[in-house]
């Protein structure tokens, strides 16, 4: 099946720094990728929809200036958490849609902000 | 926005028993999907059932969908300790955008 990778798998950073997370579709092209966030023992919440070559669409309550999304190619979307704070600590998961709209999930990135 | 609601929130059973988890949703859907997530890990897609389907099987998994009641159930038969995980339903609403809305999940513990 299709594979989606995320990098890094785990990151620890100091408060105030920015962190970039990459999401790659390894064997298919994805014009649409999604970014989710999951707090401990909670469900996944959709943060934004990333479309190649255009601006991301953010869900209500998600700050677009805080969570910068760049979908520069058909196989790569990046999420940058700017000026991270401890409350941004979470599990971030991306997914990618193939041409027949099947959605494949990445393994997730655990962000810990100290 | 959170649409699916799973129940129970937590389920503890013995190996060999069956586990049933339910999911309810609010809007019309294209399909409903079930995922498993082991602690701290990514999602594993289990099964997709389309809105015009009523039941689907995959190995030890059986999923039903009742669109009139806006509910679905996931049955795991002859459970194993390795089935211990959180299970989420996710709905693909009839919006054309393929975004998934996840339920809160059921945490399943299967004891040997």
């Amino acid at each position: 099946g299709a594979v989606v990778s995320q990098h890094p798998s785990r990151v620890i950073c100091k408060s105030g720094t920015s962190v970039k997370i990459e999401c790659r579709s390894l064997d298919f092209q994805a014009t649409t990728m999604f970014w989710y966030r999951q707090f401990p023992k909670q469900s996944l919440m959709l943060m934004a929809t990333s479309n190649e070559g255009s601006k991301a669409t953010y869900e209500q309550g998600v700050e677009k200036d805080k969570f910068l999304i760049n979908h520069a190619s058909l196989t790569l979307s990046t999420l940058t958490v700017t000026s991270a704070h401890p409350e941004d600590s979470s599990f971030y998961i991306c997914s990618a849609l193939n041409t027949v709209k099947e959605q494949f999930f990445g393994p997730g990135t655990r962000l810990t902000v100290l | 926005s959170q649409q699916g609601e799973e129940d129970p929130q937590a389920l503890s059973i013995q190996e060999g028993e069956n586990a049933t988890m339910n999911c309810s949703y609010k809007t019309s859907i294209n399909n409903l999907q079930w995922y498993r997530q082991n602690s701290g890990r990514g999602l594993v897609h289990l099964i997709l059932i389309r809105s015009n389907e009523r039941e689907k099987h995959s190995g030890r998994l059986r999923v039903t969908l009742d669109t009139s009641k806006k509910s679905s159930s996931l049955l795991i038969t002859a459970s194993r300790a390795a089935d211990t995980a959180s299970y989420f339903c996710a709905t693909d609403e009839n919006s054309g955008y393929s975004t998934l809305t996840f339920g809160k999940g059921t945490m399943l513990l299967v004891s040997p």
Side-chain angles (χ1 to χ4, degrees), chain A residues 34 38 43 45 101 103 105, chain B residues 2 35 37 96 98-99 102-103:
Chain A
F34 302 99
Q38 185 182 33
S43 189
M45 295 295 291
K101 296 200 171 180
Q103 191 165 158
F105 284 83
Chain B
Q2 202 78 351
Y35 290 85
Q37 185 181 36
S98 298
T99 55
F102 283 82

Side-chain angles (χ1 to χ4, degrees), chain A residues 24-36:
Chain A
R24 292 182 188 273
S25 56
L26 297 186
D27 50 3
F28 66 99
Q29 293 185 331
T31 56
T32 302
M33 291 185 174
F34 302 99
W35 286 96
Y36 296 86

Side-chain angles (χ1 to χ4, degrees), chain A residues 1-6 23-36 44 75 77 93-108, chain B residues 33 35 42-46 48 98 100 102:
Chain A
V3 177
V4 174
S5 71
Q6 279 184 242
C23 177
R24 292 182 188 273
S25 56
L26 297 186
D27 50 3
F28 66 99
Q29 293 185 331
T31 56
T32 302
M33 291 185 174
F34 302 99
W35 286 96
Y36 296 86
L44 282 80
T75 58
S77 175
I93 300 176
C94 73
S95 68
L97 280 186
N98 65 8
T99 53
V100 293
K101 296 200 171 180
E102 294 172 311
Q103 191 165 158
F104 299 93
F105 284 83
Chain B
Q33 303 174 39
Y35 290 85
L43 294 173
V44 174
H45 182 263
L46 295 177
L48 180 153
S98 298
L100 290 178
F102 283 82

